[in-house]
Structures are given as structure tokens and as C-alpha cells.
């Protein structure tokens, strides 16, 4: 329902400006939504590819661990020698105002060395260490992508909600108000025109009588 604004030319100009801003806002939000959707779909494709890699990496790593347990004895004591990962770093990038996480680990040369003795282990243990290091890297990459997808999906939902509010509520309301004021002003102009015609005819009659 239109806002029953006072039908003045000033209110008409202000409402038209508000309508233009609402339409422009809707176009910007719709463009933002499309960009976010494209970004999210790209990340989803990437996530699917990473998921396939990580599934295979976990399978290879656990098979290698079973082999190492058989050939070298259970590796629990050896695993305790591996330090907790503390080289993970969090940064971010912005996509249309949405903060997307960037996860990185320290350079490989800082961590890709053996933390256990080689005298009591064999190559099977080395393979386990290498494969689980690969699993760790893929897990970090997948975590970054999944978190990014979640944030983008949330931003898309909010953007869509705002765009819908403009498209379905604000823009129709302004359009209706513009129509209401325009019709009222037109009607006022017609009344004024009719009044002036009546006055003119009256003056003509008075002039004719005076003659």
C-alpha cells in the first residue's frame, strides 16, 4: 500500500530520488549476489577435487601405517616424537566485502625433516610420515575452502534477503507513492485549469455586459 504522502512537487521529487536509489541498490545487490555465487561454485568444484585427493591420501596413509606397524612394530612411541603443528597461519581476503580465510603453513623446509631416529625405524615409517604430511596439507586446504564456502553461502543468503526486500517491498512502495502523488498533482492541475476557465468565462461575460 502506498505511503499517503502529502502530494507536493517536493515530495514527488524526493520519492523519485528514493525510488532511483532503491533500484540502483537492488542492481548492486543482485550483481554482488551473482559474483558471490560464482565464487562459491568455483570453490565447491575445488572442494570436490580436494575431497577426492584427501580420501585417497588418507587411504594410502593408513595402509602405509599398517605396513609400518607390521614391519617395525607399533609406531605409537614414534608418533609421540612428532611435534604438534604450530606453523598454521590465518589470513583473509575480501570478496565483495565478505572476508574469506586464507590458511597457510610454514615453508616445507622448516618441517619436512625427521623428528625420530632412523636407527630403530625403517623406510616404511618414513613413508608413513611423508603420507600423513600430505594428508595434513590437504586437510588445511580443504578446511580453508569449506569455511570459505560457508561464509559465502551466509553472505549470499543475507544479500538475497536484502535484494528481495528492495524488489518486493521498497521499490513497489515508492512506485505506488510516485503514482499517488502524480495522480493527485494532475488532478489538482485539472481542477486549477477548470477553475481558471470558469473565471475567464465569468470575466468575459462581465466585460460583455459592461459594453
Amino acid at each position: 500500500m502506498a505511503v499517503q504522502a502529502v502530494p507536493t512537487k517536493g515530495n514527488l521529487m524526493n520519492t523519485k530520488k528514493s525510488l532511483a536509489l532503491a533500484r540502483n541498490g537492488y542492481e548492486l545487490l543482485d550483481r554482488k549476489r551473482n559474483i558471490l555465487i560464482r565464487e562459491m561454485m568455483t570453490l565447491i568444484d575445488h572442494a570436490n577435487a580436494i575431497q577426492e585427493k584427501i580420501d585417497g591420501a588418507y587411504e594410502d596413509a593408513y595402509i602405509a601405517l599398517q605396513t609400518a606397524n607390521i614391519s617395525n612394530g607399533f609406531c605409537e612411541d614414534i608418533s609421540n616424537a612428532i611435534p604438534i603443528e604450530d606453523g598454521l597461519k590465518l589470513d583473509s581476503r575480501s570478496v565483495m566485502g565478505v572476508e574469506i580465510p586464507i590458511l597457510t603453513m610454514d615453508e616445507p623446509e622448516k618441517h619436512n625433516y625427521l623428528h625420530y631416529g632412523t636407527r630403530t625405524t625403517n623406510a616404511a615409517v618414513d613413508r608413513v610420515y611423508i603420507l600423513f604430511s600430505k594428508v595434513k596439507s590437504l586437510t588445511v586446504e580443504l578446511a580453508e575452502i569449506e569455511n570459505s564456502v560457508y561464509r559465502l553461502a551466509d553472505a549470499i543468503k543475507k544479500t538475497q534477503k536484502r535484494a528481495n526486500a528492495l524488489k518486493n517491498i521498497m521499490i513497489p512502495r515508492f512506485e505506488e507513492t510516485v503514482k499517488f502523488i502524480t495522480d493527485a498533482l494532475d488532478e489538482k492541475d485539472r481542477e486549477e485549469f477548470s477553475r481558471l476557465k470558469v473565471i475567464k468565462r465569468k470575466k468575459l461575460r462581465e466585460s460583455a455586459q459592461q459594453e
Side-chain angles (χ1 to χ4, degrees):
M1 183 176 180
V3 177
Q4 297 300 307
V6 178
T8 64
K9 290 183 179 179
N11 283 340
L12 179 60
M13 290 177 61
N14 290 334
T15 305
K16 284 183 175 180
K17 287 179 182 179
S18 297
L19 176 58
L21 286 173
R23 285 172 173 166
N24 187 52
Y26 172 74
E27 290 177 2
L28 291 174
L29 286 173
D30 188 55
R31 193 179 308 162
K32 175 180 178 179
R33 180 182 62 86
N34 290 333
I35 292 173
L36 294 178
I37 289 175
R38 285 198 298 270
E39 182 73 17
M40 186 179 72
M41 296 308 296
T42 299
L43 289 176
I44 288 175
D45 291 340
H46 192 189
N48 291 334
I50 295 296
Q51 188 64 60
E52 292 180 4
K53 289 182 180 179
I54 205 170
D55 289 342
Y58 266 108
E59 183 179 355
D60 292 342
Y62 279 109
I63 290 174
L65 179 59
Q66 291 176 357
T67 302
N69 284 334
I70 293 172
S71 64
N72 202 84
F74 287 102
C75 301
E76 183 177 355
D77 291 339
I78 299 173
S79 67
N80 291 332
I82 308 299
I84 296 174
E85 176 59 60
D86 61 355
L88 196 62
K89 293 181 176 63
L90 175 62
D91 202 349
S92 64
R93 63 186 177 95
S94 179
V95 178
M96 298 298 290
V98 182
E99 292 299 313
I100 303 300
I102 300 176
L103 293 176
T104 55
M105 288 194 299
D106 282 343
E107 294 299 322
E109 58 266 18
K110 294 183 180 180
H111 285 275
N112 278 4
Y113 57 87
L114 298 180
H115 298 275
Y116 52 86
T118 57
R119 186 173 61 83
T120 58
T121 60
N122 57 24
V125 176
D126 297 341
R127 177 171 170 76
V128 171
Y129 179 77
I130 292 171
L131 290 176
F132 271 100
S133 294
K134 180 181 178 181
V135 166
K136 180 174 63 176
S137 297
L138 289 172
T139 301
V140 169
E141 188 174 358
L142 184 61
E144 174 190 309
I145 295 172
E146 287 184 341
N147 190 277
S148 299
V149 169
Y150 173 80
R151 293 191 183 191
L152 287 169
D154 185 59
I156 290 168
K157 182 179 178 181
K158 291 178 180 178
T159 302
Q160 185 66 57
K161 186 176 180 180
R162 292 170 186 156
N164 287 341
L166 286 173
K167 181 181 179 181
N168 301 322
I169 299 175
M170 299 306 298
I171 291 176
R173 182 180 297 171
F174 287 134
E175 288 175 340
E176 200 170 344
T177 301
V178 167
K179 184 177 185 303
F180 167 77
I181 295 177
T182 301
D183 290 346
L185 291 175
D186 288 345
E187 181 63 25
K188 185 177 179 181
D189 288 342
R190 284 192 294 270
E191 291 176 355
E192 181 66 17
F193 180 72
S194 298
R195 189 179 68 83
L196 289 174
K197 286 182 67 176
V198 170
I199 293 173
K200 183 178 180 181
R201 283 197 299 268
K202 184 178 179 181
K203 286 184 176 181
L204 288 173
R205 284 196 302 268
E206 290 176 351
S207 297
Q209 290 173 357
Q210 289 174 0
E211 292 176 357

